[in-house]
C-alpha cells in the first residue's frame, strides 16, 4: 500500500497535481537516440518529464485510460510505479534494465510485428510482463533509407536486415523481428534463426479502385509494384500491362493508389491483415495464379548464437510447422542463389500430413517461366531435400543463357 512507503503519498500527491496542471500537454513518445537506433516507449502512453523538489533524478508521469502512473527511482536505482485509480493507489516494482531489447524496422508493418512479438513474450513469460522488461528499438535499414530506386538497383541481399544484424551482433539489441521474405538464406556468423511465428495467409492481394479483377484491366494499365516476382508472373498472363516501380510502406501505397498514380497494385494480404487494412483488398489472388515469395506471410526472430536466455524465450514462441515449411522454401532459394534481383517464387505447405511444394523462376518480361513441384513426407529431412532438389531441377531445365541474363550477372533481366 502507498501508506507503507515513506514519502510516497506526498510525492504522489504533488505529482498528480502537476499532471493535472499539464493536461493540455500534447501526447508524445519519449525517445532516446543512440547512433542509428531509436528507442520508443509504447505510443499509447502519454509521457512527460517532471522535477520534484529536492529530487536528484527524473520522474515520469504517464496519464492514460483514466489513471495516472508515476515512475519513481530510489537511491538504489530501482524503479517503482505508483498507479492511482479512482478509489485506490497501487505500488508495484519495475525492472531496472530491459530484459529483452527487441530490434525492428520502423515501418508500421514492422512495428505491428514487433508489438505482436512483445505481446507473445509477455503472455508466455510473467517476468517479461513487468514494466520496462521489454524495449522496442527501431533501426533504419538501407531499404528504408533509399526509396527512389527499385530494390534490384540498390543491390543484393540484406537490404532490410543488415543494420538489424549489426545491432544484434554488437549487443545493442537482443532479438530482431523480421518479415521472413526479407531475410537472406545465409545468416551472419554468430547469429541464429530459432523461431518463426505462425504463418499468415501467403497469398497476394489485388488493390484497385477502378476494376474488380486482373482480367478487367485494359491494355496499358499501370501496375505499381517493386516486386520482380509479381511483375514477371503478371506479364506472363497479361503481357500488355505496364509495371512501374512502386515503393513505400503500405499506407503510402494505398494513398498513391487513391491519387491515381497507378491503376492498381499488389500487396501481401498478410501485411494488410496485421495492420487491419484488409478491407482495401479488392480480391485475394489464388496461389495457382500468383505464386508467393519465398517465406511470404512468415515472421522470423533472430538472436545471437549461445544466448541461452533468448533461445529459451524464442523456443516457446516458435511454430514448428511454419519453420519447417519456410526452411524448405529457403533451401530452394539457396539452391538457385536467388535474391530480390531474381524473379523466384515458392510455396510449401502441409496437406493431410504430407508435403506439397511448388516453385518457379521467371524472366522479368514474363516470357519465360519454369516451374517444378514436389510431394512427400512431412519431416525435416524430406522438406530440405525437396527444396534442394527442386532448385537443382530448375537450374537443369533452364536454357544455358537463362541465369546469364539475370541482372546480377550483367544481363538485362
Amino acid at each position: 500500500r502507498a501508506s507503507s512507503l515513506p514519502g510516497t503519498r506526498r510525492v504522489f500527491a504533488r505529482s498528480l497535481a502537476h499532471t493535472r496542471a499539464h493536461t493540455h500537454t500534447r501526447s508524445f513518445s519519449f525517445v532516446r537516440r543512440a547512433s542509428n537506433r531509436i528507442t520508443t516507449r509504447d505510443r499509447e502512453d502519454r509521457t512527460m518529464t517532471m522535477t520534484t523538489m529536492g529530487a536528484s533524478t527524473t520522474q515520469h508521469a504517464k496519464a492514460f485510460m483514466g489513471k495516472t502512473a508515476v515512475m519513481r527511482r530510489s537511491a538504489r536505482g530501482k524503479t517503482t510505479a505508483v498507479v492511482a485509480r479512482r478509489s485506490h493507489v497501487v505500488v508495484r516494482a519495475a525492472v531496472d534494465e530491459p530484459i529483452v531489447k527487441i530490434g525492428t524496422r520502423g515501418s508500421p508493418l514492422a512495428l505491428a510485428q514487433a508489438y505482436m512479438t512483445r505481446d507473445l513474450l509477455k503472455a508466455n513469460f510473467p517476468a517479461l510482463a513487468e514494466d520496462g522488461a521489454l524495449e522496442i528499438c527501431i533501426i533504419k535499414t538501407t531499404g528504408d533509407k533509399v526509396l527512389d530506386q527499385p530494390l534490384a538497383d540498390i543491390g543484393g541481399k540484406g537490404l532490410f536486415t543488415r543494420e538489424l544484424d549489426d545491432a544484434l551482433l554488437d549487443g545493442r539489441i537482443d532479438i530482431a523481428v523480421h518479415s521472413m521474405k526479407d531475410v537472406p538464406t545465409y545468416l551472419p556468423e554468430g547469429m541464429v534463426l530459432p523461431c518463426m511465428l505462425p504463418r499468415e495467409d501467403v497469398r497476394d492481394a489485388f488493390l484497385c479502385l477502378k476494376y474488380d479483377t486482373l482480367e478487367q484491366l485494359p491494355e496499358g494499365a499501370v501496375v505499381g509494384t517493386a516486386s520482380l516476382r509479381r511483375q514477371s508472373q503478371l506479364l506472363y498472363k497479361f503481357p500488355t500491362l505496364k509495371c512501374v516501380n512502386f515503393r513505400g510502406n503500405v499506407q503510402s501505397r494505398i494513398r498513391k493508389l487513391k491519387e491515381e498514380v497507378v491503376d492498381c497494385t499488389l500487396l501481401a494480404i498478410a501485411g494488410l491483415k496485421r495492420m487491419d487494412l484488409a478491407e482495401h483488398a479488392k480480391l485475394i489472388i489464388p496461389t495457382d495464379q500468383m505464386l508467393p515469395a519465398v517465406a511470404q506471410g512468415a515472421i522470423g526472430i533472430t538472436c545471437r548464437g549461445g544466448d541461452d536466455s533468448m533461445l529459451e524465450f524464442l523456443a516457446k514462441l516458435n511454430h514448428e510447422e511454419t519453420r519447417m515449411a519456410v526452411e524448405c522454401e529457403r533451401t530452394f532459394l539457396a539452391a538457385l542463389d536467388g535474391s530480390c534481383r531474381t524473379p523466384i517464387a515458392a510455396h510449401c505447405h502441409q496437406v493431410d500430413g504430407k508435403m506439397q511444394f511448388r516453385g518457379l523462376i521467371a524472366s522479368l518480361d514474363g516470357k519465360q517461366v519454369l516451374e517444378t513441384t514436389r510431394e512427400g513426407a512431412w519431416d525435416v529431412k524430406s522438406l530440405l531435400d525437396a527444396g534442394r532438389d527442386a532448385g537443382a531441377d530448375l537450374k537443369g531445365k533452364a536454357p544455358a543463357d537463362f541465369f546469364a541474363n539475370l541482372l546480377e550477372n550483367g544481363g538485362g533481366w
Side-chain angles (χ1 to χ4, degrees), residues 140-410:
K140 206 162 191 177
T141 66
T142 302
D144 298 313
K145 297 172 186 174
V146 183
L147 296 175
D148 59 347
Q149 299 178 50
L151 293 174
D153 292 349
I154 301 173
K157 306 170 185 178
L159 294 176
F160 295 105
T161 61
R162 194 175 300 124
E163 287 79 3
L164 282 162
D165 295 344
D166 292 342
L168 182 61
L169 293 174
D170 67 22
R172 282 178 285 148
I173 59 175
D174 299 305
I175 63 175
V177 182
H178 300 280
S179 291
M180 275 305 304
K181 65 179 182 178
D182 295 333
V183 179
T185 53
Y186 301 99
L187 300 177
E189 185 177 356
M191 195 173 80
V192 293
L193 178 57
C195 174
M196 295 186 200
L197 303 184
R199 197 173 196 175
E200 246 296 354
D201 193 330
V202 303
R203 294 174 294 174
D204 286 308
F206 174 64
L207 282 71
C208 185
L209 301 178
K210 304 174 183 177
Y211 309 101
D212 294 328
T213 66
L214 287 166
E215 288 76 12
Q216 291 179 8
L217 293 173
E219 291 188 13
V222 179
V223 182
T225 178
S227 166
L228 304 187
R229 169 190 64 85
R230 292 183 180 124
Q231 175 179 320
S232 61
Q233 292 186 78
L234 274 176
L235 294 178
Y236 175 67
K237 294 181 178 178
F238 309 101
T240 63
L241 297 178
K242 180 183 178 182
C243 294
V244 298
N245 184 49
F246 197 61
R247 294 195 53 211
N249 62 43
V250 173
Q251 288 85 347
S252 68
R253 296 191 210 189
I254 291 174
R255 174 179 53 78
K256 290 177 183 177
L257 186 63
K258 292 178 179 178
E259 294 171 354
E260 299 188 354
V261 175
V262 295
D263 294 311
C264 66
T265 189
L266 302 179
L267 295 172
I269 190 61
L272 294 174
K273 286 183 175 181
R274 287 174 182 143
M275 291 186 293
D276 295 324
L277 295 173
E279 71 273 9
H280 292 282
K282 186 62 67 74
L283 65 84
I284 300 175
I285 307 172
T287 56
D288 60 356
Q289 295 181 28
M290 176 70 66
L291 197 61
V294 167
Q296 184 157 303
I299 297 172
I301 309 174
T302 57
C303 69
R304 290 179 292 275
D307 190 336
D308 293 338
S309 296
M310 298 304 122
L311 288 168
E312 181 181 352
F313 292 146
L314 297 182
K316 183 77 171 179
L317 269 56
N318 181 54
H319 186 255
E320 189 62 8
E321 181 177 338
T322 294
R323 194 187 69 82
M324 290 170 66
V326 169
E327 289 300 345
C328 173
E329 295 168 17
R330 284 166 56 80
T331 302
F332 169 74
L333 183 65
L336 291 165
D337 193 27
S339 70
C340 63
R341 297 164 64 91
T342 315
I344 295 176
H347 182 216
C348 177
H349 60 134
Q350 185 176 186
V351 179
D352 297 328
K354 300 291 184 180
M355 168 198 57
Q356 286 193 3
F357 172 87
R358 178 173 166 236
L360 69 76
I361 57 176
S363 61
L364 283 185
D365 57 13
K367 292 180 179 179
Q368 291 180 285
V369 175
L370 302 174
E371 297 190 36
T372 188
T373 60
R374 294 291 183 280
E375 294 184 2
W378 186 266
D379 60 71
V380 173
K381 183 179 184 305
S382 298
L383 289 167
L384 296 181
D385 287 346
R388 192 177 300 111
D389 183 64
D393 180 33
L394 288 188
K395 267 194 171 181
K397 288 180 178 179
D401 62 345
F402 192 91
F403 290 98
N405 281 333
L406 296 178
L407 287 167
E408 54 264 43
N409 294 327

Side-chain angles (χ1 to χ4, degrees), residues 79-112:
T79 302
T80 303
V82 184
V83 181
R85 300 182 188 273
R86 284 190 175 91
S87 59
H88 64 283
V89 174
V90 179
V91 179
R92 57 194 177 97
V95 299
D96 287 332
E97 294 292 335
I99 298 172
V100 183
K101 294 182 180 180
I102 304 170
T104 177
R105 294 168 55 205
S107 72
L109 175 57
L111 286 171

